[in-house]
PDB file of all heavy atoms in Angstrom:
ATOM      1  N   ALA C 181      12.399  24.240   3.023  1.00  0.00           N
ATOM      2  CA  ALA C 181      11.744  24.647   1.783  1.00  0.00           C
ATOM      3  C   ALA C 181      10.526  25.519   2.026  1.00  0.00           C
ATOM      4  O   ALA C 181      10.093  26.257   1.145  1.00  0.00           O
ATOM      5  CB  ALA C 181      11.342  23.413   0.976  1.00  0.00           C
ATOM      6  N   THR C 182       9.953  25.444   3.229  1.00  0.00           N
ATOM      7  CA  THR C 182       8.809  26.311   3.510  1.00  0.00           C
ATOM      8  C   THR C 182       9.268  27.702   3.948  1.00  0.00           C
ATOM      9  O   THR C 182       8.461  28.496   4.433  1.00  0.00           O
ATOM     10  CB  THR C 182       7.887  25.706   4.586  1.00  0.00           C
ATOM     11  OG1 THR C 182       8.616  25.626   5.822  1.00  0.00           O
ATOM     12  CG2 THR C 182       7.411  24.313   4.203  1.00  0.00           C
ATOM     13  N   GLN C 183      10.542  27.985   3.787  1.00  0.00           N
ATOM     14  CA  GLN C 183      11.134  29.302   4.061  1.00  0.00           C
ATOM     15  C   GLN C 183      10.744  29.856   5.431  1.00  0.00           C
ATOM     16  O   GLN C 183      10.200  30.957   5.528  1.00  0.00           O
ATOM     17  CB  GLN C 183      10.714  30.293   2.974  1.00  0.00           C
ATOM     18  CG  GLN C 183      11.181  29.853   1.607  1.00  0.00           C
ATOM     19  CD  GLN C 183      10.697  30.792   0.523  1.00  0.00           C
ATOM     20  OE1 GLN C 183       9.508  31.052   0.414  1.00  0.00           O
ATOM     21  NE2 GLN C 183      11.614  31.278  -0.275  1.00  0.00           N
ATOM     22  N   PRO C 184      11.040  29.088   6.476  1.00  0.00           N
ATOM     23  CA  PRO C 184      10.639  29.546   7.806  1.00  0.00           C
ATOM     24  C   PRO C 184      11.570  30.640   8.344  1.00  0.00           C
ATOM     25  O   PRO C 184      12.688  30.811   7.860  1.00  0.00           O
ATOM     26  CB  PRO C 184      10.803  28.282   8.653  1.00  0.00           C
ATOM     27  CG  PRO C 184      11.922  27.535   7.996  1.00  0.00           C
ATOM     28  CD  PRO C 184      11.782  27.811   6.520  1.00  0.00           C
ATOM     29  N   GLU C 185      11.065  31.371   9.334  1.00  0.00           N
ATOM     30  CA  GLU C 185      11.929  32.267  10.097  1.00  0.00           C
ATOM     31  C   GLU C 185      12.461  31.527  11.321  1.00  0.00           C
ATOM     32  O   GLU C 185      13.544  31.800  11.803  1.00  0.00           O
ATOM     33  CB  GLU C 185      11.143  33.487  10.577  1.00  0.00           C
ATOM     34  CG  GLU C 185      10.773  34.446   9.481  1.00  0.00           C
ATOM     35  CD  GLU C 185       9.908  35.557  10.046  1.00  0.00           C
ATOM     36  OE1 GLU C 185      10.346  36.215  11.014  1.00  0.00           O
ATOM     37  OE2 GLU C 185       8.787  35.754   9.528  1.00  0.00           O
ATOM     38  N   LEU C 186      11.607  30.634  11.821  1.00  0.00           N
ATOM     39  CA  LEU C 186      11.971  29.856  12.997  1.00  0.00           C
ATOM     40  C   LEU C 186      11.890  28.378  12.645  1.00  0.00           C
ATOM     41  O   LEU C 186      10.876  27.895  12.149  1.00  0.00           O
ATOM     42  CB  LEU C 186      11.001  30.164  14.155  1.00  0.00           C
ATOM     43  CG  LEU C 186      11.155  29.305  15.416  1.00  0.00           C
ATOM     44  CD1 LEU C 186      12.504  29.537  16.077  1.00  0.00           C
ATOM     45  CD2 LEU C 186      10.024  29.613  16.400  1.00  0.00           C
ATOM     46  N   LEU C 187      13.004  27.684  12.894  1.00  0.00           N
ATOM     47  CA  LEU C 187      13.060  26.270  12.559  1.00  0.00           C
ATOM     48  C   LEU C 187      13.169  25.447  13.837  1.00  0.00           C
ATOM     49  O   LEU C 187      14.023  25.724  14.688  1.00  0.00           O
ATOM     50  CB  LEU C 187      14.272  26.010  11.653  1.00  0.00           C
ATOM     51  CG  LEU C 187      14.540  24.559  11.230  1.00  0.00           C
ATOM     52  CD1 LEU C 187      13.379  24.005  10.422  1.00  0.00           C
ATOM     53  CD2 LEU C 187      15.830  24.472  10.428  1.00  0.00           C
ATOM     54  N   LEU C 188      12.279  24.470  13.972  1.00  0.00           N
ATOM     55  CA  LEU C 188      12.329  23.579  15.129  1.00  0.00           C
ATOM     56  C   LEU C 188      12.935  22.257  14.682  1.00  0.00           C
ATOM     57  O   LEU C 188      12.364  21.563  13.851  1.00  0.00           O
ATOM     58  CB  LEU C 188      10.911  23.344  15.678  1.00  0.00           C
ATOM     59  CG  LEU C 188      10.050  24.592  15.887  1.00  0.00           C
ATOM     60  CD1 LEU C 188       8.659  24.200  16.395  1.00  0.00           C
ATOM     61  CD2 LEU C 188      10.712  25.554  16.870  1.00  0.00           C
ATOM     62  N   LEU C 189      14.094  21.926  15.212  1.00  0.00           N
ATOM     63  CA  LEU C 189      14.780  20.685  14.817  1.00  0.00           C
ATOM     64  C   LEU C 189      14.665  19.679  15.949  1.00  0.00           C
ATOM     65  O   LEU C 189      15.219  19.883  17.030  1.00  0.00           O
ATOM     66  CB  LEU C 189      16.264  20.964  14.550  1.00  0.00           C
ATOM     67  CG  LEU C 189      16.636  21.767  13.311  1.00  0.00           C
ATOM     68  CD1 LEU C 189      18.127  22.080  13.315  1.00  0.00           C
ATOM     69  CD2 LEU C 189      16.265  21.010  12.055  1.00  0.00           C
ATOM     70  N   ASP C 190      13.951  18.583  15.685  1.00  0.00           N
ATOM     71  CA  ASP C 190      13.753  17.584  16.734  1.00  0.00           C
ATOM     72  C   ASP C 190      14.694  16.399  16.509  1.00  0.00           C
ATOM     73  O   ASP C 190      14.456  15.562  15.653  1.00  0.00           O
ATOM     74  CB  ASP C 190      12.284  17.122  16.750  1.00  0.00           C
ATOM     75  CG  ASP C 190      11.892  16.498  18.091  1.00  0.00           C
ATOM     76  OD1 ASP C 190      12.801  16.200  18.892  1.00  0.00           O
ATOM     77  OD2 ASP C 190      10.681  16.317  18.329  1.00  0.00           O
ATOM     78  N   GLU C 191      15.748  16.354  17.266  1.00  0.00           N
ATOM     79  CA  GLU C 191      16.764  15.291  17.210  1.00  0.00           C
ATOM     80  C   GLU C 191      17.239  14.989  15.784  1.00  0.00           C
ATOM     81  O   GLU C 191      17.102  13.868  15.303  1.00  0.00           O
ATOM     82  CB  GLU C 191      16.219  14.023  17.873  1.00  0.00           C
ATOM     83  CG  GLU C 191      15.775  14.292  19.297  1.00  0.00           C
ATOM     84  CD  GLU C 191      15.680  13.038  20.142  1.00  0.00           C
ATOM     85  OE1 GLU C 191      16.293  12.018  19.769  1.00  0.00           O
ATOM     86  OE2 GLU C 191      15.009  13.087  21.185  1.00  0.00           O
ATOM     87  N   PRO C 192      17.831  15.986  15.147  1.00  0.00           N
ATOM     88  CA  PRO C 192      18.242  15.785  13.744  1.00  0.00           C
ATOM     89  C   PRO C 192      19.384  14.785  13.584  1.00  0.00           C
ATOM     90  O   PRO C 192      19.605  14.317  12.476  1.00  0.00           O
ATOM     91  CB  PRO C 192      18.668  17.184  13.300  1.00  0.00           C
ATOM     92  CG  PRO C 192      19.023  17.886  14.560  1.00  0.00           C
ATOM     93  CD  PRO C 192      18.101  17.350  15.607  1.00  0.00           C
TER      94      PRO C 192
END
Side-chain angles (χ1 to χ4, degrees):
Chain C
T182 64
Q183 299 177 306
E185 289 176 55
L186 173 64
L187 178 62
L188 312 178
L189 289 173
D190 201 347
E191 304 200 20

